[in-house]
Amino acid sequence: MTERHQDRKIVVSDPERCSGCGLCEYVCSMVNEKTFNPHKSRIRVIRRGLVNMAVSCRKCKDPVCVASCPKNALSQEKHTGIICVDEHACTGCGWCIGACSFGALNLHPDKKIVYTCNSCDVFNGVPQCVQWCTENALQYITAENLAQKIRQKIVSQLLETREVAKTENCNK
Amino acid sequence: MKAYAGKILHVDLTSGKSRVENLAEQTVKLYLGGMGLGINLLMDHSKPGRDAFDSENPLIYCTGPLSGTLGLAGNGYSVVSKSPVTGGVGEGQVQGFFGSELKRAGYDAVIIKGKAANLSYLWIDDDNIQICDAQHLKGSSVQNVEQKIRNELGDFYIQVSGIGLSGENLCRFATIISDKYHTISRAGLGAVMGSKNLKAIAVRGTQNVDVADLESFTEFVKNNYQRVKNLETGKYQFSSKSLLELNSLSVLANKNWSSTVFVGAEKFDADYCIGGRYVEKTVGCATCGMNCNRVVAANGVFTDVSLQFDFDCLLSLGFLCGVDCFDAVAKAASLIVTYGMDCISVGAAVAFAMDLYEHGLISLEQTGGVDLRFGNIDAMFDLINKIGKREGWLGNVLAEGVVQAAQTIGGEAVNYACHVKGLELPGYDLRVLKNVALWFSVTFSGDRYLRNKMKMGKFGDVGSSKIEAGVGCVVAHENFLCNVLDSLIVCKSFSGVYTWKDLVDYYLFATGIKFTEEELRQVGERVENLARLFNILEGKGTRVYDDLPYKIKNVHLQVGDQKMVVSDEELQVGLDDYYVACGWTADGIPTSARLKQVGLGALSYISEAAIAAVRAQGED
């Protein structure tokens, strides 16, 4: 398969839908660590009440985390864009954590090495956090599809406004 | 012992020392955790007759077996202590994020005794326990305290559970609040915390929480998410949508339990419905798919209001006070939360004062020149501020709770105070919900959080119910179920989702401990008996205390062409029935035989002494 960046799917969260319940964090630790501990989750929730959001790896092109690692412990999988951590090479210095603009890398509390979203090691399937989210706030989606959806939504809203205006005119 | 942390933390604020004790598996099997474990620890660590504000009165935080897991509606914590309001068991459960963090820190329970020299907060960072100075937080609302402590300790994932100004002032409506708006609302436990000079508990827990059977547990939870998302959620939403329906049935009390149908109810219903203009968003507690916390922003008359809102606030601050403006209710609730008080009790207290004022039992001079008529919004705000700050004569008097206030005011005031065991009633009219009236009268903590309309539905046709033989059994069963839910700390919004079989499975998959349905029910009964024994030791546990307020028993409520009242004879019939169902004596004291049956044989000396005391009184 040819490598196409636009095919890479990432986990994105809709801040308007996200209720901040943190279910995705628990599910992530359950799948990847076989325990319940949000401190070991690869996706992290920020709760601000009205606006909440879950953040995980964006699978950037030419990722800065990989470039910043002084030990060459990080690499990016060609097809999926997943950031892989060489557990033996990583010293847990945390340089990559500082380099990432999204706070998507974390230091593992036990292993003392960095870790980030591995898409539950599925390429075509859907990661568990997305499957579990009860609010449908998470999507596993390519950047292109995400943009499409947003555009569709905006146009739908415009249409709605038009319909409302029409009905109001009729009522007059 | 999977799912449990297996440890109890003891903190002495006087000496600043702490120690850790192991939690015995035997205790867990008897009391599950949460409220049950809390009441058990309270029994072990308190001395009868000691004042609730005595520094040695233990303040007990408990997590449940499901806290810290993916468990649906199980991520809560429980606070138990002797209540300064009822003088008996004071308890409260709340969901949110604090409970799971405390479990991850490695504790099933935290027992706090003593009194700090200055206002302090307790910092639990896994096994590192510190008592930090909190004098700079004096008078702050819990919402601010949370932010300040997070900034101070430099971690934004720290969870904080604390008190506001009213707790520091030992106001009897004071609550313990976590996650900004989640309150351990009833029983005045915030004041117990304040009496220890403890402003807050901050916790960070990084340890794993493991369940016994991960696969089955996950499968169980997943299935229940679907159930909640499909049919069962309506139950909780139902309560708000059916506000008008309840109002038309005269179920909702208004103007301090003095009239029937509330005229302004229509104004609420449209606004309160989800998606209405006031509800900005619904958010959820940890790992819960229900998302029933409505973030409300009043964008009408009063600006700068944002809080999470509950049905009961609306009943107490709106209906009881005769206020038909949602903006005003939201603003009042927001004020109350800022002071760290309980909306239900404060609403009832304000309504009580308004009733007294309208009947000329308190004068304009005593209210500080405020025209305290029903429905006067500004007067309500004024009085809430005064209670929160303990300002002025009336503010100070009411801050002691309606029972104490009625005694201070004197005269007929006592007839206007609506409470059970000293705790103000939530805004349901018990004269119409007669079986619920019985239920309220026999609870050990004053009242149980009666959130669900579904619960009322269980007690038959609400419009025409009367207390008759057989209802005692239903009430007893409900009490036991409530105790089990509160000990597992399963949110009451879910009490209709889980059957007994579900609860058994849930517990088995989480902990690996196998109960039968009957054994689990017996845990509920054990907790009920234990709480009763605690109240008996405190001199508050016998039949005379299972009473209803004057208004409910004597003032007739006109419903259609019927006049409704719960007469004393009717209540006594219900009590007899309930005591028989529980296996208690006619004085409401657990018999030794029943105590042995539920595994509390060692405590039968308490009931024997109480029975003897009642007999001696009778002979006099």
Side-chain angles (χ1 to χ4, degrees):
Chain A
M1 194 193 293
T2 34
E3 181 199 353
R4 294 197 308 177
H5 180 77
Q6 63 265 37
D7 286 342
R8 285 178 190 168
K9 286 185 177 175
I10 50 172
V11 177
V12 293
S13 105
D14 180 345
E16 281 175 29
R17 278 177 177 256
C18 178
S19 73
C21 74
L23 180 63
C24 48
E25 293 178 343
Y26 282 79
V27 169
C28 182
S29 69
M30 175 185 85
V31 172
N32 292 297
E33 310 276 337
K34 303 287 172 232
T35 185
F36 295 119
N37 192 345
H39 294 276
K40 291 181 181 169
S41 168
R42 289 145 202 261
I43 184 167
R44 297 294 174 100
V45 181
I46 298 125
R47 278 181 285 276
R48 285 284 186 277
L50 289 177
V51 176
N52 308 302
M53 204 170 177
V55 180
S56 74
C57 180
R58 311 289 294 185
K59 298 178 185 166
C60 315
K61 190 169 188 295
D62 301 328
V64 281
C65 54
V66 173
S68 72
C69 181
K71 297 285 179 187
N72 289 328
L74 301 189
S75 58
Q76 186 169 36
E77 257 181 34
K78 260 190 180 175
H79 298 308
T80 61
I82 291 171
I83 305 295
C84 302
V85 181
D86 181 342
E87 300 205 353
H88 300 292
C90 176
T91 59
C93 73
W95 211 320
C96 54
I97 295 175
C100 176
S101 315
F102 303 98
L105 288 121
N106 287 287
L107 197 64
H108 196 285
D110 299 340
K111 296 182 194 161
K112 310 290 181 217
I113 54 168
V114 295
Y115 66 115
T116 188
C117 175
N118 57 4
S119 299
C120 301
D121 293 323
V122 289
F123 181 44
N124 288 315
V126 178
Q128 289 293 318
C129 56
V130 179
Q131 287 189 29
W132 276 78
C133 180
T134 58
E135 296 302 294
N136 296 327
L138 294 181
Q139 298 179 74
Y140 190 52
I141 196 168
T142 65
E144 174 56 29
N145 277 348
L146 182 62
Q148 280 176 10
K149 278 200 176 177
I150 294 170
R151 287 192 290 267
Q152 295 283 0
K153 193 173 146 191
I154 289 173
V155 173
S156 305
Q157 280 169 355
L158 283 174
L159 277 172
E160 260 173 43
T161 327
R162 199 165 166 271
E163 289 297 319
V164 171
K166 223 165 134 186
T167 331
E168 277 172 3
N169 279 338
C170 288
N171 291 343
K172 275 175 195 166
Chain B
M1 230 172 21
K2 288 282 183 185
Y4 289 98
K7 281 187 285 184
I8 299 171
L9 175 68
H10 292 261
V11 179
D12 187 340
L13 294 170
T14 312
S15 66
K17 284 184 181 153
S18 64
R19 68 184 170 87
V20 172
E21 180 196 354
N22 286 335
L23 175 65
E25 188 165 343
Q26 192 50 36
T27 317
V28 161
K29 281 181 178 164
L30 287 172
Y31 300 105
L32 302 178
M35 185 189 79
L37 178 63
I39 294 174
N40 175 46
L41 292 171
L42 178 66
M43 199 78 176
D44 289 350
H45 289 270
S46 64
K47 212 168 107 186
R50 197 182 262 153
D51 190 70
F53 292 152
D54 188 298
S55 67
E56 286 307 298
N57 178 31
L59 180 71
I60 302 166
Y61 273 65
C62 288
T63 58
L66 304 169
S67 312
T69 70
L70 186 74
L72 181 58
N75 267 314
Y77 68 103
S78 175
V79 182
V80 179
S81 185
K82 180 176 172 176
S83 163
V85 181
T86 66
V89 174
E91 47 86 20
Q93 282 64 239
V94 74
Q95 307 292 314
F97 295 85
F98 183 87
S100 42
E101 201 72 18
L102 186 59
K103 171 66 91 47
R104 278 195 291 281
Y107 306 106
D108 293 310
V110 181
I111 303 174
I112 303 159
K113 283 186 178 178
K115 182 177 181 177
N118 298 310
L119 195 64
S120 307
Y121 71 86
L122 180 63
W123 168 218
I124 302 174
D125 186 9
D126 282 339
D127 48 8
N128 186 5
I129 315 296
Q130 287 177 46
I131 296 164
C132 309
D133 184 68
Q135 288 182 78
H136 57 297
L137 302 173
K138 193 170 168 48
S140 294
S141 69
V142 182
Q143 295 77 26
N144 287 335
V145 168
E146 185 183 273
Q147 207 50 49
K148 281 179 186 162
I149 289 181
R150 282 176 180 173
N151 288 341
E152 210 168 288
L153 299 174
D155 185 339
F156 298 95
Y157 286 80
I158 287 170
Q159 299 298 336
V160 175
S161 164
I163 55 170
L165 177 64
S166 72
E168 293 171 35
N169 284 344
L170 306 188
C171 167
R172 296 191 194 236
F173 308 134
T175 60
I176 294 174
I177 302 182
S178 52
D179 297 303
K180 288 196 171 75
Y181 303 111
H182 287 222
T183 57
I184 300 274
S185 54
R186 315 306 313 271
L189 295 176
V192 175
M193 198 158 168
S195 75
K196 301 191 172 311
N197 259 342
L198 185 63
K199 179 72 180 172
I201 299 176
V203 60
R204 174 169 62 191
T206 61
Q207 295 163 38
N208 294 346
V209 177
D210 292 317
V211 294
D213 183 347
L214 187 63
E215 210 168 297
S216 308
F217 185 80
T218 315
E219 194 58 35
F220 175 86
V221 174
K222 200 167 201 171
N223 286 337
N224 276 296
Y225 272 116
Q226 308 243 290
R227 282 169 66 184
V228 167
K229 274 287 153 194
N230 297 327
L231 290 169
E232 323 272 347
T233 12
K235 280 176 178 162
Y236 186 71
Q237 320 285 5
F238 187 45
S239 55
S240 52
K241 280 180 187 162
S242 61
L243 193 67
L244 284 178
E245 187 198 325
L246 286 173
N247 188 45
S248 67
L249 290 169
S250 304
V251 170
L252 307 177
N254 66 84
K255 295 190 177 170
N256 199 36
W257 287 268
S258 50
S259 61
T260 51
V261 177
F262 189 50
V263 187
E266 298 81 18
K267 288 195 191 170
F268 286 134
D269 197 47
D271 295 335
Y272 188 65
C273 276
I274 292 171
R277 70 179 176 124
Y278 291 101
V279 180
E280 295 254 336
K281 185 163 186 174
T282 54
V283 295
C285 301
T287 74
C288 179
M290 179 89 81
N291 298 325
C292 59
N293 301 321
R294 296 165 187 80
V295 181
V296 169
N299 43 10
V301 190
F302 304 99
T303 51
D304 194 27
V305 175
S306 178
L307 78 160
Q308 283 171 18
F309 202 73
D310 207 326
F311 188 56
D312 296 86
C313 298
L314 188 64
L315 296 189
S316 297
L317 295 164
F319 284 56
L320 285 185
C321 298
V323 172
D324 62 1
C325 166
F326 188 88
D327 276 302
V329 172
K331 170 85 179 172
S334 152
L335 271 178
I336 290 171
V337 167
T338 310
Y339 287 119
M341 296 191 286
D342 168 22
C343 285
I344 301 175
S345 286
V346 173
V350 172
F352 165 70
M354 286 174 163
D355 211 1
L356 292 184
Y357 179 77
E358 290 211 344
H359 284 87
L361 287 160
I362 48 176
S363 62
L364 195 65
E365 195 189 343
Q366 282 172 318
T367 64
V370 178
D371 181 23
L372 206 56
R373 275 175 297 109
F374 277 117
N376 186 344
I377 295 166
D378 294 325
M380 175 166 78
F381 295 159
D382 180 75
L383 196 51
I384 289 169
N385 280 321
K386 281 178 178 161
I387 294 171
K389 294 180 190 162
R390 271 185 177 267
E391 250 175 29
W393 177 81
L394 191 59
N396 246 315
V397 166
L398 285 177
E400 291 293 321
V402 293
V403 176
Q404 193 61 42
Q407 273 171 19
T408 311
I409 293 163
E412 281 179 17
V414 68
N415 295 347
Y416 294 87
C418 292
H419 65 92
V420 169
K421 297 184 170 73
L423 189 61
E424 294 76 13
L425 284 177
Y428 302 94
D429 207 309
L430 302 179
R431 283 164 291 195
V432 183
L433 296 160
K434 288 192 176 184
N435 295 334
V436 180
L438 174 66
W439 193 26
F440 269 73
S441 73
V442 296
T443 53
F444 55 79
S445 55
D447 92 289
R448 305 306 288 271
Y449 216 153
L450 192 70
R451 291 169 76 114
N452 273 346
K453 168 75 190 327
M454 161 207 79
K455 286 229 161 287
M456 288 189 232
K458 257 189 195 164
F459 289 98
D461 183 5
V462 286
S464 61
S465 63
K466 60 179 180 203
I467 300 177
E468 52 194 354
V471 74
C473 206
V474 183
V475 171
H477 187 82
E478 275 301 308
N479 267 340
F480 302 158
L481 175 64
C482 266
N483 292 341
V484 171
L485 291 174
D486 284 341
S487 300
L488 291 171
I489 321 191
V490 170
C491 179
K492 297 260 178 52
S493 305
F494 285 78
S495 49
V497 176
Y498 295 134
T499 61
W500 282 102
K501 165 105 184 36
D502 287 332
L503 292 174
V504 166
D505 285 347
Y506 206 174
Y507 189 69
L508 172 68
F509 299 148
T511 64
I513 298 171
K514 176 88 183 147
F515 275 111
T516 62
E517 287 177 40
E518 176 54 28
E519 281 166 347
L520 200 60
R521 196 199 61 83
Q522 206 174 61
V523 172
E525 187 171 358
R526 184 176 304 126
V527 173
E528 189 70 32
N529 279 286
L530 188 67
R532 189 81 181 180
L533 289 178
F534 181 87
N535 286 358
I536 288 172
L537 278 178
E538 296 292 341
K540 307 267 184 192
T542 47
R543 186 172 188 132
V544 280
Y545 294 96
D546 292 341
D547 203 1
L548 289 168
Y550 176 87
K551 273 204 173 191
I552 305 294
K553 278 165 74 175
N554 297 293
V555 181
H556 287 78
L557 184 77
Q558 189 78 38
V559 180
D561 49 5
Q562 273 182 305
K563 282 196 164 172
M564 305 289 282
V565 77
V566 182
S567 67
D568 196 50
E569 296 80 51
E570 221 174 336
L571 177 64
Q572 301 311 327
V573 169
L575 288 181
D576 283 336
D577 203 40
Y578 177 72
Y579 294 156
V580 169
C582 287
W584 296 351
T585 69
D587 295 304
I589 301 165
T591 57
S592 304
R594 184 53 71 105
L595 287 178
K596 270 198 198 92
Q597 254 175 37
V598 296
L600 291 172
L603 295 175
S604 53
Y605 71 94
I606 299 169
S607 71
E608 278 157 19
I611 291 168
V614 169
R615 196 175 298 142
Q617 230 169 26
E619 280 163 11
D620 288 346

